[in-house]
Amino acid sequence: MTDTKFSKTLPKATAKRLPQYYRLFKNLVEENITRTNSQLISEKIGVDAATIRRDFSLFGELGRRGYGYETQVLRDFFGELLGQDQETHLALIGVGNLGRALLHYHFQERNKMRITQAYDISGNPLVGTQTDDGIPVFNISDLERNVKKSDIKTAILSVRKEDAQEVVDILIKAGIKGILNFAPIRLRVPSDVVVQSIDLTKELQTLLFFMNDNK
């Protein structure tokens, strides 16, 4: 999670680029590259150098003019911003086709972030079982009670849009503060709950638009 002293003021576009910056500097350190500059960063991630310098300026002096950026320093800096050292447990709500894929997904870029509970309705044959990794799949009727007893503050929502708001209301009662939403619906949440929505249809339509525009 982004450092709270920046999260309220950081432009959303910049915040979305933070994982890219972290991944880049992590890879550069692994390649034993100790120093880089905005132009080389631009070539690596496809963001123009001016935008990169503007992003970095929001955090103070991350580099030196004529010297560039130390890769290990920035890897650690962006890693801390993103909470790389924090153990983060997630609840997955909805174990349909997409939910099952997410249930078996390994968060390679952040190995301390993992799903530890999953939920679905009683008609799903996975309810009452557990994955090969030991993740239990509970009945959704147990959601509020189980989450309240756990340290889980973040949930992934992979349910039908007709059910999404009802489930979110339960999550909020259980103390969830962050929701990654795959349901194609705008969710109503209190101001202290953060929702990040991913609409796969919209993303694909945007991709097709740019593909057609390149013809």
Side-chain angles (χ1 to χ4, degrees):
M1 187 176 295
T2 304
D3 193 315
T4 54
K5 71 180 179 180
F6 294 116
S7 61
K8 300 297 185 183
T9 58
L10 206 62
K12 183 172 287 189
T14 300
K16 286 185 174 183
R17 285 189 286 269
L18 296 180
Q20 284 182 277
Y21 294 143
Y22 170 71
R23 190 178 303 118
L24 170 66
F25 286 111
K26 181 174 180 288
N27 290 339
L28 291 176
V29 170
E30 290 173 354
E31 294 167 9
N32 295 317
I33 298 172
T34 59
R35 193 170 62 180
T36 189
N37 58 52
S38 57
Q39 188 58 49
L40 293 175
I41 296 170
S42 173
E43 293 170 4
K44 290 280 189 180
I45 66 174
V47 176
D48 67 89
T51 297
I52 292 166
R53 289 193 293 270
R54 186 164 57 248
D55 283 351
F56 287 8
S57 71
L58 298 171
F59 302 105
E61 294 294 330
L62 296 186
R64 286 179 284 167
R65 193 176 189 85
Y67 179 85
Y69 305 101
E70 294 185 18
T71 56
Q72 186 168 334
V73 171
L74 266 68
R75 179 203 61 183
D76 295 346
F77 175 78
F78 286 114
E80 184 176 354
L81 276 181
L82 294 168
Q84 287 298 120
D85 295 327
Q86 298 174 8
E87 187 83 21
T88 302
H89 294 171
L90 311 169
L92 171 67
I93 321 302
V95 192
N97 292 332
L98 176 59
R100 285 195 295 273
L102 293 169
L103 194 57
H104 294 94
Y105 180 75
H106 295 286
F107 297 91
Q108 296 177 351
E109 294 300 328
R110 184 178 174 188
N111 55 23
K112 291 190 176 183
M113 179 172 64
R114 64 180 186 271
I115 295 169
T116 54
Q117 295 181 8
Y119 294 87
D120 211 311
I121 59 175
S122 58
N124 188 319
L126 293 177
V127 171
T129 69
Q130 64 180 26
T131 69
D132 293 340
D133 295 330
I135 303 170
V137 182
F138 296 108
N139 192 308
I140 199 164
S141 61
D142 298 324
L143 175 60
E144 184 176 354
R145 180 178 66 253
N146 287 356
V147 172
K148 277 184 175 178
K149 292 192 300 183
S150 74
D151 62 351
I152 296 174
K153 296 298 178 184
T154 308
I156 302 173
L157 190 65
S158 175
V159 300
R160 300 185 310 166
K161 66 178 181 179
E162 295 83 2
D163 302 322
Q165 187 62 54
E166 181 181 357
V167 173
V168 166
D169 292 342
I170 297 172
L171 289 171
I172 291 168
K173 288 180 183 177
I176 291 293
K177 294 300 181 183
I179 299 169
L180 181 63
N181 172 41
F182 283 93
I185 184 174
R186 185 178 180 85
L187 300 171
R188 300 184 303 275
V189 299
S191 58
D192 63 340
V193 175
V194 179
V195 175
Q196 181 75 28
S197 292
I198 299 176
D199 186 332
L200 296 177
T201 299
K202 183 178 72 174
E203 296 298 332
L204 182 57
Q205 288 172 332
T206 302
L207 171 65
L208 295 174
F209 168 77
F210 284 114
M211 288 172 61
N212 290 331
D213 198 44
N214 279 338
K215 289 180 179 178

